Amino acid sequence: MPPVIIAKDLYKCYAGFSPVLRGVNIEVEAGELVAIMGPSGCGKSTMLHVLGMLHAPDAGTLEILGQNVLEFNREQTAAFRRGNMGFVMQASNLFEHSTVFENVEFPLIYENVPPSERWARVIRALDLVRLSARVHYRSNRLSGGEQQRVAIARAMVNNPKILLADEPTGALDAKTSRVVMENFRTLCHSGGVAMIMVTHDPKMAEFCDSVYTLDEGILNCRRRDFSPESVTLGVNLLEGVKPVVRGALLAETFPEPSGRCLMEEAHRMHAIGLLSRIYAVRGGNLLGDAQGYALPLPVRRVGWWRLPAVVRAVQHFRRRHAPPWEALRKSLPVTPGRRLAHLWAEDCGAMMARWGEEDDIDFIYAAGAHSPATAAWIASRLLDLPFAFAVRSADMATPGKDWSVKARDAAFVACDTEDTRQRLRELLPEIPRERLVLLRDPLTLTPPDEDISLPPTGEKEPLRLLAVGTLCARKGFDVLLQACVRLKQQGLDFELRIVGSGPLARRLKWQSWRLGLRKRVIFVGQVPHENMPDLYRRADIFVAPSRVAKNGDYDGLPSALTEAMAFGCAVVASDLPGIREAVQNGESGVIVPPNAAEALGKALLALAAKPEERKRLGNGAFRRIPELLDAAASEARLKELFLAATRQGRPRGADAAPDGEASSLPDDGRQT
């Protein structure tokens, strides 16, 4: 393959000055990372500008991508540069009061890329520099290294074949500079991008395949270790994941108002090629609430403004199918107290079916056993597609009368804990046991690579307690506050941080004040998810005082608990079935009876006096989580289930007509 850039005998001189370039010769291959070094004022930036077609040389030849670019007129030069080159300068030059998305999107607007394509392109560009989680942040809230990585993403969003950088790490610290250079190496070696970088730092030059020095206008090659075999050519780094199954995730809301489990599940499904679309039964507002969403997939939401479209979708399928619409709807029993939600979910199912036709969906997966599963069941029947749904511990507090029908027709039913699966087997004995599968929620944060050795609390430092979760009855934070009174009475110096928000926030703050704990208990509120590792690392003990609420609701396996264990926290948790699956009493944590403030206080006092015991339990928790939450095994199992469902179509019983009638849903010939 010919070099991407071939420059021969380049000369450049500015009026009144000595020549800056004196016969520069250089060839750059696809995928090669080149460093240009030299003293200040030697012409490095001038050379970069000439190679980037920003300045014309006085003499010499310049071929880029096989074309003699010196023959281009002004318009051709600008068009060629926009389509094939990206520029990263020492200053990131971001729009300070614009979001990361808006900054990276700008080149796409200039190139008239349709708005429907911009979101996915921007997210994929940010993924290249590991910043998609910051997509909604304003750029003035980012660190210097993050701003520079946003500038790299902006330079890459048009998928250039050549990247030119002028001192991109000059204003960064050593650690951040290494991260940026590792990003550059990935871009070059994984995507075949040719990059020329001007730098003064020899340590940054070590990351490069070739190093040249420019002195008095003469370019000399100091080192060239480039191997074309190490480069993956012809790869579009901004190309999406090739779908294995064109699956649709159907949720109540997306993103969830609290928690990250559903978001992480969507990320993993998309990464392994199982997710092509996301639908939500409810929408936050007219524009949709995208805060926290960072997947290169559009989210289609049903809200009040879509009511006319929902009505049209229902009418469409009434006309299309021979069986009465009412017969299909009557086949699902209505759970008392959920009639309106049930009717809305059924109508949303017709809307989802219309979207499924437009998006060419092969499989529907509902993240919830109530409205999402109902809408998914309706859509699957109308489109003759396989579907599945998830049952979470929170769903088990109010099981639906229609679960047996939906479970009968589902390819599989995913349970978040072994306790949920066992209770579902007892509730639905007619459903084959193999159809109820265990798929635990994945970790939503990346844990450290080795055991955590937390320093023991010093004599003058308070014991640091941490509790995380929605401020609601099932979390038992009021019990934790009562236990803290016992700690105070025993003279223990401690600090409790409660992270989260919810309906009981005011009541818990008032309780804290009434118990005299205002100076010891801090209600942090919502914390950005990426900042949670710092809280886990600083905590001496993580407390999960969950209990069974009056309505029967209780925690399964809280994601905050598994995150804390993954970061090596010593944990004290309530004796609930889902929690016992993770916390082994005395080995990876301490189990106490739920709703027992005195027992909780005793456990905290015992651990407060034994730093080495906290360390032992923390390391036990750290080792326990990889055994319990095997991400690779879960992904492989999910892919196996999706592929089996799409090969076989709906499982036996799915074509049974409601109320014993013969099914007359037409076969449109679609292969599933």
Side-chain angles (χ1 to χ4, degrees), residues 367-391:
H370 291 298
S371 295
T374 300
W377 181 84
I378 291 288
S380 73
R381 294 296 301 268
L382 293 173
L383 297 179
D384 195 24
L385 290 178
F387 93 106
F389 66 97
V391 179

Side-chain angles (χ1 to χ4, degrees), residues 24-43:
V24 165
N25 294 278
I26 189 173
E27 292 185 358
V28 182
E29 305 279 350
E32 184 177 5
L33 178 52
V34 176
I36 307 295
M37 302 186 69
S40 298
C42 69

Side-chain angles (χ1 to χ4, degrees), residues 451-466:
D451 285 13
I452 300 296
S453 297
L454 294 175
T457 303
E459 293 182 1
K460 296 183 179 180
E461 295 180 357
L463 182 75
R464 294 160 294 195
L465 306 178
L466 177 65

Side-chain angles (χ1 to χ4, degrees), residues 12-20 45-47 49-50 55 58:
K12 183 66 179 179
C13 181
Y14 295 103
F17 294 90
S18 300
V20 181
S45 296
T46 297
M47 176 181 166
H49 292 166
V50 170
H55 294 168
D58 296 329

Side-chain angles (χ1 to χ4, degrees), residues 262-275:
L262 183 57
M263 179 76 75
E264 186 63 26
E265 184 177 21
H267 270 277
R268 291 180 181 273
M269 290 173 64
H270 177 259
I272 59 178
L274 301 181
L275 186 60

Side-chain angles (χ1 to χ4, degrees), residues 371-453:
S371 295
T374 300
W377 181 84
I378 291 288
S380 73
R381 294 296 301 268
L382 293 173
L383 297 179
D384 195 24
L385 290 178
F387 93 106
F389 66 97
V391 179
R392 306 181 62 80
S393 300
D395 296 327
M396 297 303 298
T398 55
K401 293 180 65 177
D402 57 351
W403 283 13
S404 60
V405 176
K406 292 186 289 193
R408 179 200 67 195
D409 289 353
F412 63 90
V413 179
C415 305
D416 63 341
T417 65
E418 186 60 49
D419 172 61
T420 300
R421 180 162 64 168
Q422 183 57 40
R423 293 172 66 194
L424 203 58
R425 284 173 177 172
E426 297 171 359
L427 184 68
L428 306 174
E430 71 280 6
I431 301 301
R433 295 171 66 89
E434 63 274 8
R435 197 173 294 178
L436 308 179
V437 299
L438 176 64
L439 291 173
R440 298 188 190 276
D441 291 333
L443 277 177
T444 58
L445 292 170
T446 302
D449 296 329
E450 55 187 20
D451 285 13
I452 300 296
S453 297

